[in-house]
């Protein structure tokens, strides 16, 4: 199984460790089973099914176990790939000790324990918001992991296409239908890790509000992707603590691994700032360059036209308000596209994570560069899809998280933290909530689903399913969403009034008790 791969090669002899002593503990086997169960659940029902391993919960320990199980299996995949590559490089000589980057089996249990503690630290740093809380991070993490599972299945089912298919897809390398992602365990770990940490310590208000309030984080990050940059800072600084040394040694044994990990995670988290026109345009430009030829791009142009998007317009979503933003013409083509490229050297050794073949001709180098760009664009699209996975899964999932988002924005509104622009007027999220969800689907969710389909990495059936799910949810919301919105607004208002009344009563009781104690103290002193 997934965990066994990290220690079972050569029966433990490569590290001069007895095979029985190298076996994982019962706890690790249980976590591995949980990871398999979480990965195997259907995309549409993530978080909805009952079961001891896969059921959505607010119990902190269970959520930590679920995320750890998924990450642990992804980490084991990295270690197994390194071990297999090293064994091949040294000729499987049992006398040769373990190579750099392969965790000795006796340290693997400690590494897994540190991984769980790291997930615990990150989970504890999520605030008690209604939407951007740890439960959301868990759902996004499990959804990102499931997207990877869909990619892996697509790669397994892929057969060499006929000539006509090759001509149609001549714009990309057909060496891998997933552009190497399915065979790159390090990239897959980066995606799941990014999903875990992407909203850590989120305050429950959008970046624009933090900038208007002159929050210290907005000042620190120059009003640019404030929440995203702060989440990255929290995640990386926590990972660098001394108590996670074994985890770092297993995951990032070389400086090149450390650089690649940071670069990939930063890109994946920053692309979730869908309220930033510049960030959205950067992601769009990367996608356009990656798929600028052949059938996929022609489909993209067709759908862009139907969505009223052109080369100078991007869709953004600020809190609950989707909108089209027109950029200055000078900024549209000024993006440094060459920075999007993952290095050729890195991509050529994706399967072994950082161990490369030196020889390659110019054609192969160009193919590698283009495949790297396509892989980076698809990974960012997967991250965006996981972040709003409830909109691409089922109507039940959509309603659940839609209400959570409304509750969070309503709470910010009651607290006076929803000012629109510089007007000083509070933005009531109930205004236009029903129609805003429809517009959100039109300008963001449906184009996102079509990207997942048109890239071809998920196969025809699953790629089409993303679009069908999005259309189904939108259609049901158009029909039923108005009544749901009215009931939700009324229910949240009642809940808010009750919470305020209880809070006021508790405050009054506390004040009386404090006054009584003070009076008694005066009497006793007299």
């Amino acid at each position: 199984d997934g965990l066994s791969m990290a220690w079972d090669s050569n029966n433990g002899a490569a590290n001069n460790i007895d095979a029985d002593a190298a076996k994982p503990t019962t706890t690790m086997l249980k976590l591995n089973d949980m990871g398999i169960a979480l990965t195997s659940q259907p995309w549409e029902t993530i978080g909805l099914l009952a079961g001891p391993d896969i059921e959505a919960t607010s119990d902190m320990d269970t959520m930590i176990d679920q995320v750890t199980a998924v990450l642990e299996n992804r980490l084991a995949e990295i270690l197994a790939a390194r071990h297999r590559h090293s064994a091949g490089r040294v000729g499987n000589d049992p006398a040769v000790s373990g190579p750099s980057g392969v965790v000795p089996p006796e340290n693997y249990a400690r590494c897994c324990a540190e991984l769980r503690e790291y997930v615990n630290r990150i989970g504890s740093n999520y605030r008690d918001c209604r939407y951007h809380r740890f439960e959301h991070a868990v759902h996004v993490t499990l959804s990102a992991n499931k997207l990877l599972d869909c990619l892996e299945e697509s790669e397994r089912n892929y057969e060499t296409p006929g000539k006509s298919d090759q001509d149609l897809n001549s714009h990309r390398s057909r060496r891998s239908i997933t552009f190497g992602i399915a065979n790159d365990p390090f990239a897959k770990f980066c995606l799941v890790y990014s999903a875990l940490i992407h909203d850590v310590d989120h305050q429950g208000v959008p970046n624009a509000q933090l900038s208007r309030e002159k929050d210290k984080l907005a000042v620190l990050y120059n009003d640019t992707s404030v929440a995203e940059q702060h989440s990255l800072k929290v995640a990386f600084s926590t990972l660098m603590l001394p108590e996670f040394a074994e985890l770092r040694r297993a995951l990032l044994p070389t400086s090149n691994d450390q650089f690649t990990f940071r670069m990939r995670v930063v890109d994946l988290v920053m692309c979730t700032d869908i309220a930033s026109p510049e960030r959205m345009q950067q992601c769009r430009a990367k996608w356009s360059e990656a798929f600028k030829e052949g059938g996929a791009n022609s489909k993209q142009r067709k759908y862009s036209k139907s969505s009223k998007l052109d080369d100078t317009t991007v869709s953004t979503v600020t809190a609950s308000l989707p909108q089209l933003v027109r950029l200055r013409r000078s900024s549209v083509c000024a993006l440094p596209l060459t920075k999007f490229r993952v290095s050729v050297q890195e991509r050529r050794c994706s399967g072994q994570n950082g161990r490369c073949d030196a020889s390659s001709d110019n054609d192969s180098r160009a193919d590698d560069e283009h495949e790297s760009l396509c892989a980076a664009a698809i990974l960012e699209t997967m991250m965006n899809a996981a972040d709003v996975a409830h909109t691409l899964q089922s109507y039940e999932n959509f309603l659940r998280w839609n209400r959570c988002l409304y509750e969070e924005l309503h709470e910010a509104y009651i607290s006076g933290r929803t000012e629109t622009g510089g007007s000083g007027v509070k933005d009531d999220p109930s205004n236009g909530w029903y129609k805003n969800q429809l517009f959100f689907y039109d300008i963001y969710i449906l184009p996102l689903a079509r990207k997942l389909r048109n890239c071809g990495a998920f196969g025809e059936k699953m790629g089409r399913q993303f679009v069908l799910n999005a259309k189904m949810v939108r259609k049901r919301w158009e029909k039923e969403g108005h009544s749901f919105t009215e009931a939700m607004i009324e229910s949240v208002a009642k809940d808010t009034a009750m919470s305020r009344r209880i809070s006021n009563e508790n405050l009054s009781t506390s004040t009386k008790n404090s006054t009584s104690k003070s009076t008694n103290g005066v009497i006793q002193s007299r």
Side-chain angles (χ1 to χ4, degrees):
D1 57 35
L3 280 178
S4 299
M5 293 188 299
W7 54 265
D8 198 37
S9 178
N10 290 327
N11 294 319
N15 290 290
N16 297 320
I17 299 296
D18 181 72
D20 291 331
K23 290 182 179 179
T25 64
T26 302
T27 301
M28 283 193 284
L29 286 173
K30 176 62 178 175
L31 284 175
N32 185 50
D33 291 339
M34 177 182 283
I36 293 173
L38 290 165
T39 303
S40 301
Q41 62 183 321
W43 163 258
E44 287 79 8
T45 56
I46 291 177
L48 298 179
L49 299 179
D53 291 338
I54 64 176
E55 187 171 8
T57 177
S58 297
D59 179 72
M60 190 68 174
D61 285 338
T62 302
M63 289 191 292
I64 292 171
D65 285 344
Q66 289 178 337
V67 174
T68 302
V70 169
L71 283 170
E72 189 175 307
N73 284 355
R74 295 296 175 185
L75 177 60
E77 189 180 359
I78 293 176
L79 302 181
R82 288 177 181 160
H83 200 123
R84 285 194 303 268
H85 177 71
S86 175
R89 183 160 56 93
V90 299
N92 288 303
D93 184 357
V96 179
S97 60
S100 173
V102 176
V103 176
E106 72 272 18
N107 292 336
Y108 188 61
R110 186 167 58 203
C111 173
C112 291
E114 290 184 7
L115 177 61
R116 189 187 189 282
E117 176 58 25
Y118 180 79
V119 174
N120 176 41
R121 296 281 185 92
I122 294 297
S124 300
N125 275 303
Y126 272 87
R127 302 193 184 197
D128 189 23
C129 302
R130 292 300 305 144
Y131 181 83
H132 292 96
R133 59 183 192 262
F134 190 45
E135 287 92 329
H136 166 66
V138 173
H139 187 258
V140 175
T141 301
L142 299 183
S143 297
N145 183 64
K146 184 60 185 181
L147 288 173
L148 290 171
D149 181 61
C150 293
L151 270 185
E152 291 161 348
E153 183 179 359
S154 174
E155 185 77 12
R156 288 192 297 268
N157 296 336
Y158 174 64
E159 295 180 359
T160 303
K163 182 177 180 181
S164 60
D165 291 331
Q166 289 180 343
D167 291 340
L168 178 65
N169 297 284
S170 60
H171 66 288
R172 69 185 190 180
S173 169
R174 300 298 292 176
R175 291 170 294 178
S176 166
I177 194 174
T178 64
F179 300 94
I181 298 174
N183 300 314
D184 187 346
F186 195 64
K188 290 186 285 187
F189 184 93
C190 289
L191 178 66
V192 179
Y193 173 88
S194 299
L196 165 65
I197 62 101
H198 79 286
D199 275 332
V200 63
D201 203 27
H202 196 288
Q203 296 187 35
V205 295
N207 287 330
Q209 183 64 30
L210 297 176
S211 295
R212 283 190 288 270
E213 295 173 354
K214 296 180 175 58
D215 187 279
K216 61 181 182 180
L217 294 179
V219 175
L220 178 63
Y221 298 118
N222 296 319
D223 299 320
T224 304
S225 300
V226 178
E228 291 75 17
Q229 292 203 66
H230 179 60
S231 294
L232 287 165
K233 179 259 183 184
V234 172
F236 287 143
S237 59
T238 303
L239 185 59
M240 293 306 296
L241 292 175
E243 51 263 46
F244 302 115
E246 197 64 46
L247 173 60
R248 290 197 308 272
R249 191 175 78 85
L251 178 63
L252 311 169
T254 70
S255 59
N256 182 63
D257 292 326
Q258 295 162 16
F259 174 81
T260 302
F261 177 75
R262 183 176 179 84
M263 178 183 67
R264 283 178 167 174
V265 172
V266 167
D267 285 346
L268 289 170
V269 172
M270 294 294 280
C271 79
T272 63
D273 184 11
I274 62 176
S276 167
E278 292 76 20
R279 183 66 55 185
M280 293 296 288
Q281 175 60 13
Q282 189 177 35
C283 293
R284 182 174 161 188
K286 181 185 295 188
W287 183 273
S288 178
E289 187 188 10
F291 299 100
K292 60 188 173 183
E293 300 176 11
N297 190 57
S298 61
K299 289 181 180 179
Q300 283 300 110
R301 285 198 300 268
K302 179 178 72 172
Y303 292 123
S304 293
K305 182 177 291 186
S306 66
S307 301
K308 299 181 180 179
L309 298 177
D310 57 32
D311 289 341
T312 63
T313 308
V314 294
S315 58
T316 64
V317 184
T318 305
S320 63
L321 183 61
Q323 56 188 332
L324 296 176
V325 177
R326 186 167 294 278
L327 301 173
R328 295 190 304 273
R329 171 66 68 173
S330 60
S331 69
V332 173
C333 300
L335 297 170
L337 297 180
T338 54
K339 291 186 178 180
F340 294 156
R341 301 185 184 279
V342 183
S343 72
V344 178
Q345 188 180 25
E346 174 192 332
R347 289 294 304 149
R348 213 175 273 144
C349 48
S350 59
Q352 293 78 30
N353 178 35
R355 312 293 182 257
C356 307
D357 298 325
S359 61
S360 175
D361 57 23
N362 291 335
D363 289 340
S364 178
R365 182 179 296 274
D367 287 342
D368 282 344
E369 286 186 346
H370 185 252
E371 187 168 281
S372 297
L373 181 62
C374 291
I378 291 173
L379 282 168
E380 289 185 5
T381 302
M382 292 170 66
M383 184 67 191
N384 287 136
D387 195 19
V388 292
H390 61 283
T391 66
L392 298 164
Q393 289 171 335
S394 64
Y395 191 62
E396 292 73 20
N397 250 332
F398 172 75
L399 292 184
R400 175 194 174 195
W401 292 104
N402 187 264
R403 176 175 176 122
C404 289
L405 179 60
Y406 177 81
E407 289 175 345
E408 179 171 294
L409 295 174
H410 180 75
E411 185 174 313
Y413 168 69
I414 295 299
S415 303
R417 302 189 72 188
T418 57
E419 178 186 341
T420 302
S423 63
V425 178
K426 292 192 294 182
D427 182 19
D428 187 347
S430 65
N431 294 332
W433 184 267
Y434 164 71
K435 290 185 177 179
N436 283 341
Q437 309 314 303
L438 295 175
F439 193 38
F440 179 47
Y441 266 86
D442 291 338
I443 71 170
Y444 184 71
I445 298 301
L446 284 170
L448 181 62
R450 287 164 182 148
K451 279 185 174 182
L452 294 173
R453 179 193 64 187
N454 293 346
C455 71
F458 293 91
E460 182 179 353
K461 182 179 179 180
M462 191 62 203
R464 184 172 62 247
Q465 194 62 47
F466 293 125
V467 180
L468 292 176
N469 289 351
K471 286 183 175 180
M472 178 275 295
V473 174
R474 188 198 183 283
K475 185 176 181 179
R476 285 196 63 179
W477 177 263
E478 186 174 22
K479 182 180 180 180
E480 307 170 19
H482 194 273
S483 59
F484 174 84
T485 299
E486 289 183 340
M488 178 184 68
I489 291 173
E490 182 180 355
S491 174
V492 172
K494 288 181 179 180
D495 291 345
T496 301
M498 182 178 294
S499 297
R500 281 190 161 189
R501 183 168 62 252
I502 293 174
S503 178
N504 289 336
E505 289 175 355
N506 291 338
L507 180 61
S508 176
T509 301
S510 177
T511 302
K512 288 180 181 180
N513 291 338
S514 177
T515 303
S516 176
K517 289 181 180 180
S518 177
T519 303
N520 291 336
V522 172
I523 293 175
Q524 291 175 3
S525 65
R526 288 178 177 177

